[in-house]
Amino acid sequence: MMNTEENIIKMDMGAMNGGDKSADALLCLGIESSCDETSAAIVDSNQNILSHIIYSQIPEHQKYGGVVPELAARAHILAIDTVVRQTLAAAGKSISDMDVIAATAGPGLIGGVLIGWLAATGMAQATGKPLVAVNHLEGHALVPRLHAAAADGTDLPDGVAFPYLLMLASGGHCQILLVRGVGQYEQIGQTLDDSAGEAFDKVAKMLGLGYPGGPVVDARAQKGNPTRFHFPRPLCDKPGCDFSFSGIKTAARTMLDKAPEPHSDEFINDFCASFQAAVVDCIVNRLEHAMKDERVRKAAPQTLVVAGGVAKNSAIRAAMERLAGSNDMTFAAPPLSLCTDNGAMIAWAGIENFRVGRIVKEPIAPRPRWPLTEL
């Protein structure tokens, strides 16, 4: 098992702090443990991230090429106390200084979710602080309101106003949502099989590029020829806004089975570029359809947002920025450090939910599955 202290990442939040906490600003401790990272953060209602700690499990899972749920749960148990203590210390705060405590209550790997949720529940019960059960996907959906930037890195200090059109893409989820407000999500499209993030990771594994695969594929794609290999664009000739990525993965497997080994660097770069171009085309096509959807047209969102781990992909960010510009919309995305799972997004979602009175009033059970539309 990894050494807890060695795998602690203290995020540099200096560029994300909007200023000093005013006397009436709320403080929230947020805890995230839904997959392979144990994270906690303290955020205030003035959009300041006072401290942010992430315990990374990547070295533990790399040898297996993906997340092993049992190992992830054990790592969360070992890390949770250290992460929370360091988060409080880094902010110069105690648990009694918090106005609200929030934690992921699903969806996710239930072993990890339980550990973070029980830690938050214990602190809330011991201190009498309000407790917010955060939907992990809502954390991703709302974090652009904490801090967002354009594809070129231009800061959007005031965050994103409701309503906005959201492309939420990660290793386990891929959907287009109309975000009307806190707890108000209308699904416009979703994947019918695999997520975009899973497709990136699986193709990286096929090529022997390691885990996590998405960032490596993106980096290699930037050096390659996106027209060398022909990948399908599933559903792009169909009406609607749903995705399908399983066919792209199957095509990748078929092409690699026929290609002689070992693969040269040029082959890998071109393969990654061609695969990534197909994924980007699918995303843009489905978003174009979403913008024509009557529900979206009636709501008239002014901002096109991408969030989730796949939001770190440079080609997707750039393509969505072009799409937004051609439709007289502003493009926004969280900074790269807030795209993957993190405690800051949970703390901010805790503040947003607390403001509208959505707090835990009786015991609840964490959920491995929890669609945003059920909020």
Side-chain angles (χ1 to χ4, degrees), residues 104-332:
T104 298
L109 300 178
I110 194 60
V113 172
L114 277 167
I115 291 159
W117 179 247
L118 290 174
T121 300
M123 287 185 284
Q125 291 178 341
T127 60
K129 302 293 181 180
L131 177 66
V132 174
V134 175
N135 180 299
H136 174 81
L137 300 179
E138 186 171 39
H140 283 301
L142 293 177
V143 74
R145 287 173 50 76
L146 168 63
H147 188 81
D152 62 1
T154 304
D155 189 38
L156 303 174
D158 295 328
V160 178
F162 296 127
Y164 50 92
L165 186 63
L166 171 66
M167 171 72 189
L168 177 54
S170 65
H173 306 275
C174 191
Q175 51 193 303
I176 300 173
L177 298 158
L178 178 59
V179 183
R180 298 182 183 274
V182 179
Q184 300 176 46
Y185 306 94
E186 190 165 357
Q187 185 172 280
I188 307 300
Q190 65 175 331
T191 181
L192 301 179
D193 39 57
D194 302 324
S195 70
E198 181 186 0
F200 272 99
D201 286 340
K202 288 296 175 60
V203 168
K205 188 173 183 178
M206 294 176 196
L207 291 168
L209 299 180
Y211 172 83
V216 183
V217 171
D218 187 13
R220 298 297 290 263
Q222 293 177 42
K223 306 173 185 177
N225 174 8
T227 63
R228 177 176 173 183
F229 298 96
H230 177 70
F231 282 86
R233 270 69 170 169
L235 300 183
C236 284
D237 59 345
K238 304 292 184 182
C241 306
D242 290 334
F243 302 92
S244 173
F245 295 104
S246 64
I248 300 179
K249 289 196 319 181
T250 300
R253 180 73 275 168
T254 300
M255 281 187 268
L256 290 174
D257 285 343
K258 295 179 180 179
E261 296 188 72
H263 304 311
S264 67
D265 283 342
E266 181 182 8
F267 176 97
I268 293 174
N269 293 343
D270 291 348
F271 196 88
C272 288
S274 301
F275 160 76
Q276 182 166 278
V279 173
V280 171
D281 285 350
C282 291
I283 289 173
V284 170
N285 177 271
R286 300 289 88 183
L287 284 170
E288 288 175 336
H289 283 222
M291 290 175 177
K292 298 173 184 176
D293 185 282
E294 184 61 29
R295 294 165 293 178
V296 176
R297 292 172 65 88
K298 187 175 181 180
Q302 298 299 302
T303 310
L304 176 63
V305 180
V306 63
V310 177
K312 297 181 72 172
N313 184 277
S314 61
I316 291 174
R317 290 169 83 105
M320 287 185 60
E321 183 173 42
R322 291 191 296 270
L323 178 63
S326 64
N327 286 273
D328 297 321
M329 297 175 72
T330 299
F331 169 76

Side-chain angles (χ1 to χ4, degrees), residues 54-119:
I54 296 177
Y55 168 70
S56 174
Q57 298 180 16
I58 288 178
E60 183 73 3
H61 298 289
Q62 277 179 329
K63 66 188 77 171
Y64 303 104
V67 178
V68 181
E70 178 62 25
L71 294 180
R74 293 179 186 178
H76 285 306
I77 291 172
L78 294 177
I80 188 69
D81 184 63
T82 300
V83 167
V84 171
R85 289 180 182 276
Q86 288 198 11
T87 300
L88 291 167
K93 303 293 181 182
S94 68
I95 194 65
S96 62
D97 294 320
M98 299 301 107
D99 295 296
V100 59
I101 297 171
T104 298
L109 300 178
I110 194 60
V113 172
L114 277 167
I115 291 159
W117 179 247
L118 290 174

